[in-house]
Amino acid sequence: MSEVIIEVKDLMFTYGKSQVKAVDGLSFKVKKGEIFGLLGPSGAGKSTTQKILTRLLKGYGGTITYLGKDLSAYDNTFYEDIGVGFELPVHFSKLTGEENMAFFSRLYRKQVDVAPLLKRVGLYEDKDKMVGSYSKGMKMRLNFVRALLNDPKVLFLDEVTNGLDPKNARIIKDMIRAFKEQGGTVILTTHLMNDVEELCDNIAFISGGRIKEIATPRELKIKYGKRILDVEYALNGKTKQNTFDLDGLSNNDTFMSILKNHDIETMHSGETSLDDIFIKVTGESIHE
Amino acid sequence: MNNFGTLLKGEFQRLSKYKIMQAGIGVSLLWVATLFLIGPDDAGMFLPLFVFMDVSLMTVLLIGSGLFYERQENTLKTLLITPTKFSHIIYSKLITAVIIALQSALILGLLGYFFFDVGIQFHYLIAFTVLISFMHAMLGFVFAVLLKDFPSLLASIMLYMIVFAFPSIFYALDILSTTWSYILIISPTHASMLLVELAFGEPVNGWMIVVSIVYLIVITLVFAKWIVFPNYFKKAIED
């Protein structure tokens, strides 16, 4: 059984004098080597949860343990273990990309060679340019490199592919997968279902500060999908459509006859998308 | 190099890259040019005034603008997830501001000493510059905690000048009578002004010196304990 890295029990948090709980009784576990997705629309409480887990917000209710020890018992050396990729660019705009990385790197005991990371995300050629001249996509890629500077065990990533074109989003997703394959653990906060489907082993849907559903993407699809198969086929020059139950499909004579005697045009199972599941589970749209 | 050293080095690097240090030196040179225009007869009267402006108002502006840049660029958040003590982040900024103020005060002090024959007690000048600039740097943090944006910072510094600094300047230029000295002591700028005048060899009442030093220390501690340390990071995180 995999080691539990982070365990959250009945987590509660309220900002200042607000009457509304930003986080209201969250409980979940993140195992070593897992990519855990926190999903939800804006204001759902996912970024607040991440800020609590990274010890930026104090005064929460409930308990959080990191490697079996209460999170509040850690001092700032906890940050030697983790890397955080923020949703917005977090760099000094009048320093170059390389100067930014060099400065932050020196604050850690363990440091990685930055050049290969910059090369991997396609920023090596621009390392001597001031970050202020970077595009948003470049700044987000630098954010990701910043999160890896101390060779962390756990990565907290907030909307990490936000503002990236498909090619660069692919590079970042490949790097996240490689990080996982090397034993790293990732907590991914996002509202982008593509990222979730591609990367996450487990996901928690959050709405109104509460977890509405927590499972693997496959379990959710099975739970919320329809066990049907839609088949479109050609008959006398026209398209015909039939729907079959997945249960007992191999014994369904009509289905078998269509397969044998007609040209199949399309075939779709009743599998639902994570977008649809989210709307079903929370009653809210996932997109901002 | 430990993290505090790294932070301090980073502060100086950014002061230079963001041209804040150059602007500070530029202002000092402006004072130097003004002193040469005023001439040796009146330079002795204006020199403490220029030092006072540099180590107090310029310090608030320097640290305040740096902190607003930092807020705009979200860089404090990424510093807070490093194994660095929160207090070290604040102290590195305060110490940088003090060093910049010392640089300005010494440029003007040495100029006065060598070119205008002004009697300067350098040990006082250094000690009081540290105290005054530290207090005003803390005030810069207070503004960063309480205010929303850079224009509000500029407006607040202007208000601070009008309410606190101008009366002290008028007093220093003998526009206000000596009676005002006892009223103005409630102003942190006046306490600062008295200490700068002492460093430039002007006669200052003994107990006024003590009151000024204690007052500046107390204000600094109050700002630090009740406004800056409890709220500065909280505000950055919740932004």
Side-chain angles (χ1 to χ4, degrees):
Chain A
M1 198 173 149
S2 302
E3 179 190 5
V4 172
I5 292 270
I6 293 170
E7 183 166 9
V8 176
K9 279 186 194 164
D10 204 23
L11 184 66
M12 308 250 190
F13 186 81
T14 307
Y15 281 103
K17 291 171 185 168
S18 170
Q19 300 293 315
V20 183
K21 285 176 183 160
V23 175
D24 188 7
L26 299 192
S27 297
F28 59 88
K29 288 178 186 173
V30 183
K31 290 177 191 154
K32 187 176 185 325
E34 175 178 56
I35 302 181
F36 186 89
L38 284 172
L39 278 67
S42 291
K46 54 193 197 303
S47 292
T48 302
T49 304
Q50 197 181 81
K51 282 179 184 171
I52 295 169
L53 294 177
T54 53
R55 297 181 78 246
L56 286 176
L57 285 177
K58 308 273 165 57
Y60 56 84
T63 56
I64 303 170
T65 54
Y66 173 71
L67 292 173
K69 183 176 156 187
D70 197 297
L71 188 67
S72 57
Y74 283 89
D75 61 12
N76 278 10
T77 54
F78 167 73
Y79 295 115
E80 297 282 1
D81 266 13
I82 69 161
V84 182
F86 289 94
E87 183 183 6
L88 295 170
V90 286
H91 299 104
F92 299 106
S93 62
K94 294 194 191 290
L95 265 60
T96 66
E98 193 176 43
E99 285 169 340
N100 267 283
M101 293 304 101
F103 170 69
F104 290 118
S105 207
R106 281 195 293 268
L107 297 171
Y108 294 98
R109 276 204 296 266
K110 196 172 177 187
Q111 298 158 8
V112 297
D113 186 1
V114 182
L117 288 173
L118 289 173
K119 280 179 188 162
R120 185 87 191 270
V121 300
L123 287 177
Y124 190 73
E125 302 299 319
D126 301 297
K127 68 181 169 59
D128 297 322
K129 289 181 186 164
M130 282 205 283
V131 170
S133 70
Y134 281 17
S135 67
K136 190 186 175 195
M138 292 165 83
K139 287 176 186 171
M140 290 307 291
R141 281 182 275 156
L142 195 64
N143 260 15
F144 187 68
V145 173
R146 157 75 187 90
L148 295 171
L149 282 180
N150 55 323
D151 191 19
K153 290 178 189 162
V154 183
L155 265 183
F156 292 86
L157 302 174
D158 194 355
E159 308 289 3
V160 70
T161 57
N162 203 4
L164 296 183
D165 60 58
K167 183 188 152 214
N168 285 309
R170 165 66 38 225
I171 292 169
I172 298 296
K173 283 189 259 190
D174 287 345
M175 288 176 78
I176 294 171
R177 211 174 282 118
F179 177 80
K180 178 200 155 157
E181 279 159 14
Q182 287 159 12
T185 306
V186 182
I187 295 179
L188 181 69
T189 304
T190 186
H191 68 277
L192 298 174
M193 290 298 137
N194 276 348
D195 291 2
V196 174
E197 290 215 68
E198 282 185 48
L199 296 169
C200 293
D201 299 303
N202 263 303
I203 50 178
F205 284 127
I206 301 182
S207 178
R210 294 180 180 182
I211 291 182
K212 301 288 182 179
E213 189 71 85
I214 186 163
T216 67
R218 180 178 157 71
E219 284 166 350
L220 286 170
K221 284 184 171 183
I222 290 171
K223 184 176 174 183
Y224 288 94
K226 289 178 188 163
R227 291 191 51 76
I228 56 166
L229 184 72
D230 280 324
V231 181
E232 288 183 330
Y233 58 96
L235 180 67
N236 302 327
K238 287 184 179 174
T239 298
K240 295 285 284 181
Q241 191 256 335
N242 264 22
T243 302
F244 301 96
D245 272 340
L246 280 179
D247 299 315
L249 192 61
S250 59
N251 297 321
N252 188 313
D253 294 339
T254 313
F255 174 69
M256 296 310 282
S257 164
I258 291 169
L259 280 187
K260 278 182 191 168
N261 303 316
H262 300 280
D263 288 332
I264 305 295
E265 291 179 349
T266 66
M267 201 183 270
H268 295 287
S269 72
E271 186 180 277
T272 189
S273 68
L274 285 175
D275 260 331
D276 290 337
I277 296 171
F278 185 87
I279 293 164
K280 225 176 258 182
V281 169
T282 66
E284 293 181 55
S285 171
I286 199 93
H287 297 294
E288 289 165 274
Chain B
M1 189 187 287
N2 64 24
N3 277 2
F4 187 68
T6 304
L7 289 170
L8 209 54
K9 193 179 163 196
E11 287 298 327
F12 278 105
Q13 182 190 32
R14 291 193 295 282
L15 279 177
S16 167
K17 292 271 182 174
Y18 284 75
K19 314 275 187 231
I20 294 173
M21 192 185 283
Q22 291 86 328
I25 293 170
V27 171
S28 298
L29 293 176
L30 199 68
W31 296 139
V32 169
T34 310
L35 284 173
F36 277 108
L37 286 173
I38 289 168
D41 293 342
D42 293 325
M45 188 169 78
F46 281 94
L47 196 53
L49 196 61
F50 293 166
V51 170
F52 156 74
M53 301 262 276
D54 238 8
V55 301
S56 59
L57 301 175
M58 281 303 292
T59 301
V60 184
L61 186 62
L62 180 142
I63 202 149
S65 56
L67 295 176
F68 274 102
Y69 257 125
E70 197 170 67
R71 188 189 286 179
Q72 202 178 320
E73 297 183 331
N74 282 311
T75 45
L76 188 58
K77 276 182 194 159
T78 196
L79 269 179
L80 292 178
I81 52 102
T82 63
T84 304
K85 286 183 183 169
F86 295 171
S87 57
H88 283 185
I89 297 172
I90 291 182
Y91 286 127
S92 66
K93 293 178 190 305
L94 291 170
I95 289 172
T96 308
V98 169
I99 291 172
I100 299 288
L102 272 172
Q103 171 192 276
S104 302
L106 287 174
I107 288 174
L108 290 172
L110 290 168
L111 180 92
Y113 187 79
F114 286 111
F115 289 91
F116 299 110
D117 202 22
V118 178
I120 297 170
Q121 301 187 62
F122 279 97
H123 56 293
Y124 279 162
L125 183 66
I126 291 168
F128 295 150
T129 295
V130 169
L131 179 61
I132 296 163
S133 59
F134 199 83
M135 180 260 143
H136 281 86
M138 200 63 90
L139 181 64
F141 267 99
V142 171
F143 284 150
V145 167
L146 300 178
L147 303 173
K148 280 185 180 170
D149 48 33
F150 189 67
S152 313
L153 171 75
L154 291 179
S156 298
I157 292 174
M158 283 302 291
L159 191 69
Y160 180 73
M161 278 177 72
I162 293 165
V163 175
F164 293 113
F166 282 178
S168 302
I169 292 168
F170 294 153
Y171 178 81
L173 295 174
D174 294 331
I175 297 170
L176 295 178
S177 68
T178 49
T179 321
W180 278 88
S181 182
Y182 298 97
I183 300 164
L184 288 172
I185 195 70
I186 57 161
S187 155
T189 54
H190 193 68
S192 306
M193 188 76 211
L194 287 178
L195 296 179
V196 172
E197 283 180 345
L198 179 68
F200 280 86
E202 291 192 23
V204 180
N205 185 315
W207 72 265
M208 293 277 266
I209 297 166
V210 175
V211 169
S212 297
I213 292 171
V214 172
Y215 186 44
L216 291 177
I217 292 172
V218 169
I219 289 181
T220 307
L221 292 175
V222 167
F223 284 165
K225 186 169 172 56
W226 280 286
I227 301 176
V228 177
F229 279 87
N231 295 306
Y232 184 63
F233 297 115
K234 202 171 148 192
K235 190 173 169 69
I237 292 160
E238 290 181 2
D239 266 349

